[in-house]
Amino acid sequence: MHSYVQLLSTPTADTAGMAMILDVGKQRYLFGNIHEGLQRTCIQRNSKLSKTNEVFITGTTEWKNVGGLFGLILTLADANAASIMSEAETARLRKDPGNPEQLAAKSEKQAKVEADRKQALLEAGLDPDEQVGATEKYGKHQLTLPILTIHGGENLTHTVATGRRFIFRKGMPVKIIEHGEAPPSELAGDGREPDWKDDSIQVWKLPIQPSLERRAPEVGLEALRKRSFDEFVGADLPSPRNHAASVDHSYTADDLKEKDQEMRRFVVTEMFNSQWRLDALFEISLPDVHMPAMLWIRNKETNKLERYYPPEDGSLPDIKVLARRPWPGALVEKLPATKPSELAMSYIVRHYPQKGKFNPQKAKALNVHRYVWSALQNGTTVKSRDGVTVTPDMVLEPTRIGGGFAIVDLPTTDYLPNLITRPEWNTSQIMDGLQVIVWNLGPGVARDPTLQAFIQQHSGLKHVISAPDLSTNYITFDSTAALVIRLNQIDSERYQIPIHSNVSPIIQPPQDPGETKNIGYVEATRDFRLQLEPQLQTQEAPTKQPFLDTRQILELTPKEVLELAKQARDDAASDRLMEKLAGQNLPSQDAEVICLGTGSSAPSKYRNVSATLLRVPGCGSYLFDCGEGTLGQLRRLYNPTELEGVLRDLKAIWISHMHADHHLGTTSVIKAWREANYGLSDIRVEPGSPRQTPMSFVEAIQEKKLFLFAGGQMIRWLAEYSSVEAYGYDKVIPINTQPSKALTFSYLEWRGAQVGFSTYDPTMNKAMTEATGMKNLVSCYVDHCQGAQAVTVRFHTGFGFSYSGDCRPSKNFIRIGRGSTVLVHEATFDDVMQDDAKAKKHSTMSEAIGVASAMGAKRLILTHFSQRYQKLPNLSALENTEVVFDDPEPLMDNTRDTDATQSFDETSPSTGSYDHVAGQDISTTPPAKGRTSPSPFPVSSALLSPAKHELKIAIAFDFLRVRVGDIASMERFTPSLQLLFEMLEQREKEEAYHKPGEVARRKKEEQKQEKREAQEKLIKEKKEAKALKRAGPREFRWNTADSKGNGGTGAPASTQGVSAVTHRDRTEEVAEGTGIQLPQPAMEHTAQ
């Protein structure tokens, strides 16, 4: 057996913690922190996550340890689905009969081998029917649906269940095992069984609490909202309501806790293994429908389904309609309350005892038939050909204790006392064979004397330490960094090299004269691999370069590119251009747009998911969408002092819609904002404590707060997760944002009260403007998914910023963004993929340019590119300024404060895509035929036609920082960018072509292809021969007259008595009944 442990990540600016993979060949296990950026790290390091069905999360249940879990689940679900399809194809090929003659010969040979095997087993005193032979081992192929099991500490199920509004998969069962603190009676003695095991490994949990003085007080029972599982399951599915339930005092606290956990488990089950169907409709009375929802009625004349739109006045006639049944996971409007847990999970992992190696020479010497060697290897006693009894120990080397490792996660030094006193360290059954301890430590823990003493006590083990203060802040995403470094060579004003350090803190000299250097452990580095079986072997010098060589990247940039870039810089600095830029007459020319994520769907090697930072001097900073890894991108762009200033200046976050690639980084950013502005010392607020005295909105924003503009689902998710971790939600002002029909303002709600920039309350308007730095915010619904919105923000300087999010071209968006200074618009697809853009409800580059032109925007930044365009998209569309809208397009979405309990649609499936979630395509489906969309005013052709102005366009890459006044000069660098990527692509192809082993691989593939072609040709020839044989001998000839000159009416003597089928006979059969007159043929095709 071969197995190894490989580190995937260590603490850096991009990755908050440590994660590693255990590979045993047929299965992989993921251990550590499932942090934001882990999936992208695996893509960068080419670490496959296939065959990973067990995940063991270490540490406490908080976002820095589980922030990448939602994306990981989606990726593993798609990977497992692809694996199932591959297995199904393999099974189909195995059933292919193939060449009958070859199969017959093979079967005859297998039958002889099987007969010899059975005879040998009988002679050895074994029952052949109880022994599995080589021909039977894989005789049956059964496809099984993989189950993803996630192990972790308390609140893990609750955390996953909070994502029910935006995470949805079918056919991927997810099971969550929460390991709580075990009673002392279960920990004592050498007979303790593992807490989890499979065919390859055994796992013992190590739940560790901090010392008692740090324990948080328990929350009173009455403070928790309780809702029985029976009440939940019995809810009316077509029209769910949120019923308040009081605490039933007939239950004990443990009973209530278990019932709450049942509800959470049910939600998780329905999120990933639901039987819900998109095309299943049921009949219901219109007043009973939980609005908004998609509705249909059946046309009595045509018996076809047609979309039904309720009256605009809000009345609901008592008629029968058809609706989709809401999927059960979304019916729980509010999860039972929970509280933050300080329990940190660690694990001890052991392989089973390894059988000794089989010695064939000893078996031959004992005259044991080779067909019974496998029985000896499996521990069965047999008889030799001489009738002598042979036991396994006579031919096997001694059994070896299975190797293993411990992964220990200690957030602070307060966990050390309870760690070192655990009985597992003195239990031989668990510790025998343990080879290494991998430490995942919080800041300052590694240098604690208590831990140092523990390491010295277990000096016989190998210790690998990962800690933020001891880890190197190396570049995690090499591909992105290499790209940005080259972009910096071309345009250093807009692109800067990501902040990093290749110097290891662990080897730096002591700061204090009396401080001694830490010894007894090694630093955890990426690609660190430790072989566990068959023997412990450390691979501390991986074949890959441990850190990105920035100097080599600079040297390899083609000279032709640098020459073009120098010419572009000279042109940009010319007096005429500087004079032209100075006369642009753009408001807030010093405003800066920072592109933190420019990819779509899921993180990739070259582009992170959506996030755009806008910094307006004198107003504030604003974040538009906040995909996973946004905080890491900020840390690479700004040093700690600069980042603190950016976070202090951050006024608001806008979330366009609930696709996972647009909002999973919000929690981390909020926590960092809270720490920069208030610190984290007083952040922990115990759930169940009395609410503060209610205050008005104006009073609430007198203190510095972070505004969050989003739909109701996003706000409910953040509020629900805040009971798991106090991450700073207490300093957030969540504004439920819904468009208005007038398209001149948006409905803004805070705790159910209307707020805004232009209300009837001047005090509120003033306070809102001062707190946000904005003059107005207007949004509109766009055609992408349920609740998707685009937004325009205007400032007192006259600067206008429009952000599309994900959408098809939108007339409403053009209206609200008319005259914007800067438009950031998605351009997911190339123009040749117009059909894909329509199907997946995205925009092409030409469509985005057309929207900007029709809007009259002064500057356009294109972003959100498909993973097909990892580096540079096709720029052929930059000359197109026409816009064509889908017809018809709804001008107003009636979904005010849409809720997860409504009927849901799905998008087109996309492997590994975060977009494939619940809650799709509700509000923007075209109206039924004959019905016009409600419009606040007639659609003006002049309004939607391309504006006559000079539009400047920029292509966004990650880490782009551009002043509004400099966007116009970026087009001068386009030729050098195109040449750069063309030359890099050509170089990559050449390197791949001449890669060691690539020549041999290509030759092998060519030989396989030639062999396949030869086999296909042989099969084809044999099929043709068999067909001719079945039909009998035939002779084909073209004949206009027979040998006697009878004009073809006669037949040669050799063909007499044989029926003839002519070409005209067949043609007449086809033409019969059509009224077509066939001409007389000049010649016939006669078959004998």
Side-chain angles (χ1 to χ4, degrees):
M1 177 183 181
H2 289 267
S3 71
Y4 65 86
V5 168
Q6 179 172 326
L7 297 186
L8 299 176
S9 66
T10 58
T12 66
D14 305 297
T15 51
M18 185 272 293
M20 64 184 192
I21 201 89
L22 168 64
D23 193 319
V24 298
K26 63 180 180 180
Q27 178 75 14
R28 295 188 181 100
Y29 308 85
L30 189 58
F31 287 86
N33 305 141
I34 312 302
H35 49 73
E36 291 183 47
L38 177 59
Q39 181 186 186
R40 193 180 181 200
T41 302
C42 293
I43 296 173
Q44 178 65 63
R45 307 311 303 162
N46 198 26
S47 299
K48 304 296 183 182
L49 292 176
S50 57
K51 299 190 295 185
T52 303
N53 294 327
E54 304 291 336
V55 178
F56 295 83
I57 301 177
T58 64
T60 57
T61 303
E62 55 181 313
W63 196 256
K64 74 179 185 68
N65 297 333
V66 300
L69 186 58
F70 288 122
L72 179 71
I73 291 175
L74 294 177
T75 300
L76 291 179
D78 293 334
N80 285 327
S83 176
I84 292 174
M85 294 178 63
S86 177
E87 291 182 13
E89 178 65 13
T90 303
R92 185 189 67 79
L93 294 175
R94 284 176 179 168
K95 295 179 181 179
D96 189 356
N99 189 341
E101 296 178 0
Q102 293 180 358
L103 286 177
K106 186 177 180 180
S107 299
E108 183 178 352
K109 183 178 179 180
Q110 288 178 346
K112 185 177 184 305
V113 171
E114 183 64 14
D116 293 343
R117 184 186 72 84
K118 289 185 177 181
Q119 181 63 30
L121 291 174
L122 289 171
E123 293 176 356
L126 302 175
D127 185 356
D129 295 332
E130 295 181 358
Q131 301 296 318
V132 178
T135 59
E136 298 174 335
K137 187 174 182 180
Y138 301 105
K140 294 183 179 180
H141 185 83
Q142 182 179 1
L143 297 177
T144 58
L145 191 65
I147 298 177
L148 176 62
T149 305
I150 305 173
H151 306 253
E154 296 170 344
N155 287 333
L156 181 59
T157 308
H158 186 101
T159 299
V160 176
T162 61
R164 65 193 181 279
R165 296 183 175 93
F166 57 90
I167 297 293
F168 176 64
R169 274 292 189 275
K170 295 203 300 181
M172 175 62 189
V174 172
K175 180 181 179 181
I176 297 179
I177 300 178
E178 289 190 10
H179 299 284
E181 192 171 11
S185 59
E186 297 182 9
L187 304 179
D190 285 342
R192 179 186 168 188
E193 293 294 323
D195 298 292
W196 183 88
K197 62 181 179 180
D198 64 0
D199 294 338
S200 301
I201 63 173
Q202 309 169 82
V203 180
W204 286 267
K205 65 180 181 181
L206 297 178
I208 306 170
Q209 289 278 10
S211 54
L212 290 176
E213 53 269 21
R214 283 198 72 250
R215 291 278 188 100
E218 293 293 331
V219 179
L221 179 64
E222 290 74 19
L224 303 179
R225 174 189 173 274
K226 298 297 178 183
R227 184 183 179 194
S228 71
F229 181 67
D230 298 333
E231 174 193 355
F232 161 65
V233 174
D236 182 14
L237 294 184
S239 181
R241 297 291 184 268
N242 186 21
H243 303 285
S246 59
V247 176
D248 188 345
H249 294 279
S250 63
Y251 289 101
T252 64
D254 291 339
D255 292 338
L256 291 171
K257 185 176 181 180
E258 179 58 28
K259 279 184 171 290
D260 288 344
Q261 194 69 354
E262 283 183 29
M263 182 192 296
R264 299 185 185 104
R265 284 193 289 262
F266 175 82
V267 170
V268 173
T269 299
E270 293 299 326
M271 287 172 64
F272 302 105
N273 194 30
S274 174
Q275 300 301 316
W276 177 84
R277 292 174 53 191
L278 177 66
D279 58 352
L281 301 177
F282 71 100
E283 190 175 67
I284 184 175
S285 296
L286 181 58
D288 294 333
V289 176
H290 187 65
M291 300 298 291
M294 293 184 70
L295 304 174
W296 289 263
I297 57 174
R298 189 173 295 279
N299 190 308
K300 295 181 179 179
E301 297 180 358
T302 64
N303 202 33
K304 293 183 179 180
L305 291 179
E306 297 179 353
R307 279 292 307 276
Y308 174 79
Y309 294 85
E312 295 182 13
D313 59 5
S315 62
L316 298 177
D318 190 9
I319 62 173
K320 296 293 185 180
V321 295
L322 297 174
R324 291 193 180 104
R325 189 178 299 276
W327 65 286
L331 287 175
V332 181
E333 297 182 11
K334 186 178 181 182
L335 293 175
T338 186
K339 61 177 181 178
S341 173
E342 295 182 305
L343 184 102
M345 288 303 303
S346 300
Y347 306 94
I348 295 177
V349 183
R350 283 274 311 280
H351 286 298
Y352 289 96
Q354 302 297 302
K355 297 176 182 178
K357 186 177 180 181
F358 179 76
N359 191 329
Q361 300 302 325
K362 290 185 178 181
K364 290 179 181 179
L366 293 172
N367 200 17
V368 178
H369 197 289
R370 64 186 181 90
Y371 283 129
V372 298
W373 287 1
S374 60
L376 281 170
Q377 288 177 298
N378 292 331
T380 305
T381 299
V382 302
K383 290 184 179 181
S384 67
R385 295 177 180 178
D386 303 329
V388 178
T389 300
V390 179
T391 59
D393 60 288
M394 298 172 66
V395 295
L396 295 176
E397 295 179 0
T399 299
R400 181 171 48 83
I401 297 176
F405 66 92
I407 178 169
V408 180
D409 195 307
L410 301 176
T412 66
T413 55
D414 297 293
Y415 289 81
L416 277 170
N418 289 336
L419 167 72
I420 63 178
T421 57
R422 291 194 65 91
E424 287 88 353
W425 305 119
N426 299 315
T427 305
S428 59
Q429 176 192 358
I430 299 176
M431 292 297 294
D432 289 348
L434 198 68
Q435 300 157 304
V436 61
I437 299 180
V438 181
W439 300 90
N440 191 20
L441 306 176
V445 180
R447 299 182 184 274
D448 187 274
T450 304
L451 179 63
Q452 291 292 315
F454 183 86
I455 290 177
Q456 292 296 333
Q457 183 182 352
H458 296 83
S459 57
L461 302 177
K462 192 172 192 66
H463 297 270
V464 181
I465 288 190
S466 171
D469 51 340
L470 299 180
S471 297
T472 305
N473 187 27
Y474 56 83
I475 289 178
T476 308
F477 308 123
D478 296 6
S479 299
T480 299
L483 176 60
V484 175
I485 290 171
R486 291 191 169 100
L487 292 174
N488 172 265
Q489 288 181 281
I490 295 174
D491 188 359
S492 58
E493 291 187 16
R494 256 68 67 177
Y495 295 95
Q496 67 180 45
I497 298 176
I499 296 173
H500 67 284
S501 172
N502 291 342
V503 179
S504 174
I506 201 171
I507 62 174
Q508 291 179 348
Q511 299 296 323
D512 300 327
E515 182 182 2
T516 58
K517 186 177 179 180
N518 291 310
I519 59 174
Y521 56 81
V522 295
E523 177 192 358
T525 59
R526 70 176 185 180
D527 293 328
F528 178 88
R529 179 179 290 193
L530 187 68
Q531 179 179 285
L532 299 177
E533 296 291 349
Q535 61 182 359
L536 184 66
Q537 181 179 352
T538 305
Q539 300 176 355
E540 297 186 34
T543 56
K544 296 181 181 179
Q545 184 73 22
F547 301 123
L548 182 68
D549 190 345
T550 56
R551 179 177 300 178
Q552 183 182 20
I553 294 173
L554 295 172
E555 293 174 352
L556 291 178
T557 302
K559 294 182 179 179
E560 299 86 342
V561 174
L562 297 178
E563 291 175 359
L564 273 178
K566 183 179 182 303
Q567 181 180 348
R569 287 194 297 270
D570 293 342
D571 293 343
S574 65
D575 294 339
R576 181 165 44 174
L577 180 60
M578 295 301 294
E579 184 177 328
K580 183 178 179 180
L581 293 178
Q584 291 180 104
N585 194 27
L586 295 176
S588 298
Q589 292 194 38
D590 290 335
E592 190 177 27
V593 179
I594 300 98
C595 296
L596 302 172
T598 60
S600 69
S601 183
S604 66
K605 289 173 63 175
Y606 295 97
R607 296 182 185 271
N608 198 39
V609 288
S610 297
T612 302
L613 179 67
L614 173 67
R615 304 191 69 186
V616 184
C619 298
S621 298
Y622 309 87
L623 190 58
F624 293 84
D625 279 335
C626 190
E628 180 181 332
T630 296
L631 182 60
Q633 299 286 88
L634 287 169
R635 286 171 173 164
R636 290 298 185 191
L637 202 55
Y638 299 101
N639 63 46
T641 303
E642 292 173 334
L643 179 57
E644 184 177 354
V646 171
L647 292 172
R648 287 184 174 180
D649 193 48
L650 184 63
K651 298 290 185 66
I653 300 175
W654 163 265
I655 302 298
S656 62
H657 62 289
M658 285 298 288
H659 278 168
D661 59 324
H662 287 256
H663 69 80
L664 282 182
T666 310
T667 305
S668 297
V669 172
I670 292 176
K671 188 170 185 177
W673 181 93
R674 217 288 187 178
E675 183 177 11
N677 287 276
Y678 292 97
L680 299 177
S681 58
D682 62 337
I683 192 172
R684 189 170 296 280
V685 179
E686 296 301 331
S689 60
R691 292 179 62 91
Q692 296 179 352
T693 304
M695 62 178 63
S696 68
F697 177 75
V698 174
E699 293 174 334
I701 63 177
Q702 292 304 309
E703 182 185 33
K704 187 176 184 179
K705 297 291 181 65
L706 177 63
F707 284 78
L708 175 76
F709 296 92
Q713 292 189 24
M714 179 68 184
I715 294 172
R716 282 187 286 271
W717 172 60
L718 290 176
E720 205 165 56
Y721 177 74
S722 66
S723 65
V724 174
E725 175 189 0
Y727 60 91
Y729 190 70
D730 58 318
K731 299 297 183 182
V732 173
I733 298 293
I735 304 295
N736 187 357
T737 308
Q738 303 296 327
S740 67
K741 290 185 178 181
L743 295 178
T744 57
F745 67 95
S746 290
Y747 294 104
L748 306 180
E749 292 184 1
W750 177 76
R751 296 184 179 177
Q754 291 292 329
V755 299
F757 297 90
S758 56
T759 67
Y760 293 108
D761 185 354
T763 304
M764 177 182 291
N765 301 340
K766 181 181 178 181
M768 189 76 165
T769 301
E770 291 177 352
T772 63
M774 299 184 293
K775 182 179 179 181
N776 197 9
L777 180 149
V778 182
S779 65
C780 69
Y781 287 111
V782 289
D783 188 10
H784 180 63
C785 72
Q786 183 267 330
Q789 299 182 51
V791 67
T792 294
V793 178
R794 301 190 185 274
F795 299 87
H796 62 84
T797 61
F799 178 72
F801 182 84
S802 294
Y803 179 78
S804 70
D806 290 1
C807 66
R808 295 286 299 142
S810 170
K811 300 173 186 177
N812 288 348
F813 186 36
I814 291 175
R815 289 189 177 93
I816 68 172
R818 191 67 175 170
S820 292
T821 312
V822 175
L823 166 63
V824 175
H825 202 289
E826 70 122 292
T828 306
F829 291 104
D830 191 357
D831 288 353
V832 298
M833 302 190 70
Q834 177 75 31
D835 293 339
D836 292 77
K838 289 183 177 180
K840 298 182 179 180
K841 301 197 173 183
H842 286 288
S843 298
T844 65
M845 290 185 65
S846 290
E847 289 173 336
I849 295 171
V851 169
S853 181
M855 183 183 288
K858 308 300 187 299
R859 302 291 181 262
L860 170 63
I861 298 178
L862 297 175
T863 185
H864 197 272
F865 298 105
S866 169
Q867 295 188 46
R868 295 174 180 83
Y869 322 114
Q870 292 279 0
K871 298 177 182 177
L872 186 70
N874 189 345
L875 303 181
S876 61
L878 293 183
E879 299 301 324
N880 187 3
T881 58
E882 295 183 357
V883 56
V884 178
F885 296 95
D886 297 339
D887 189 27
E889 182 199 6
L891 299 182
M892 180 59 198
D893 185 346
N894 295 324
T895 56
R896 287 288 313 279
D897 192 15
T898 51
D899 196 274
T901 56
Q902 64 185 342
S903 304
F904 286 138
D905 285 3
E906 292 180 303
T907 59
S908 302
S910 176
T911 301
S913 169
Y914 284 16
D915 284 358
H916 188 199
V917 298
Q920 303 300 313
D921 311 339
I922 301 282
S923 59
T924 53
T925 302
K929 185 177 180 180
R931 177 184 172 89
T932 59
S933 302
S935 173
F937 47 83
V939 179
S940 168
S941 58
L943 177 66
L944 300 180
S945 62
K948 303 300 182 181
H949 70 285
E950 188 177 358
L951 175 66
K952 298 299 182 181
I953 305 171
I955 304 296
F957 296 91
D958 284 14
F959 298 111
L960 168 65
R961 294 179 60 180
V962 58
R963 292 174 58 255
V964 171
D966 294 338
I967 294 177
S969 63
M970 289 185 64
E971 63 184 13
R972 295 183 176 272
F973 296 93
T974 300
S976 55
L977 288 176
Q978 289 178 308
L979 180 61
L980 170 66
F981 291 116
E982 289 173 2
M983 299 185 73
L984 289 179
E985 184 177 358
Q986 181 63 28
R987 179 184 296 170
E988 289 176 358
K989 289 181 179 180
E990 293 176 356
E991 291 177 353
Y993 190 85
H994 298 289
K995 189 177 180 180
E998 183 65 19
V999 177
R1001 188 194 66 79
R1002 286 198 307 273
K1003 186 176 181 180
K1004 190 175 180 181
E1005 286 295 329
E1006 291 173 358
Q1007 292 175 349
K1008 287 183 179 180
Q1009 181 64 23
E1010 292 176 358
K1011 186 176 180 180
R1012 283 194 296 266
E1013 292 176 354
Q1015 290 176 345
E1016 292 174 357
K1017 183 178 179 181
L1018 180 62
I1019 293 173
K1020 183 179 180 181
E1021 290 176 351
K1022 288 185 177 182
K1023 287 182 178 179
E1024 292 176 352
K1026 289 181 180 180
L1028 291 174
K1029 186 176 180 180
R1030 287 195 301 268
R1034 290 176 179 269
E1035 177 184 342
F1036 293 88
R1037 59 187 173 86
W1038 289 97
N1039 181 28
T1040 58
D1042 59 22
S1043 60
K1044 297 181 180 181
N1046 294 327
T1049 57
S1054 61
T1055 65
Q1056 291 180 2
V1058 180
S1059 61
V1061 181
T1062 66
H1063 176 74
R1064 178 175 176 80
D1065 293 334
R1066 297 191 183 96
T1067 307
E1068 287 176 342
E1069 290 176 3
V1070 175
E1072 183 178 2
T1074 63
I1076 301 176
Q1077 296 295 328
L1078 296 176
Q1080 294 296 324
M1083 53 185 174
E1084 291 183 343
H1085 177 195
T1086 306
Q1088 283 193 346

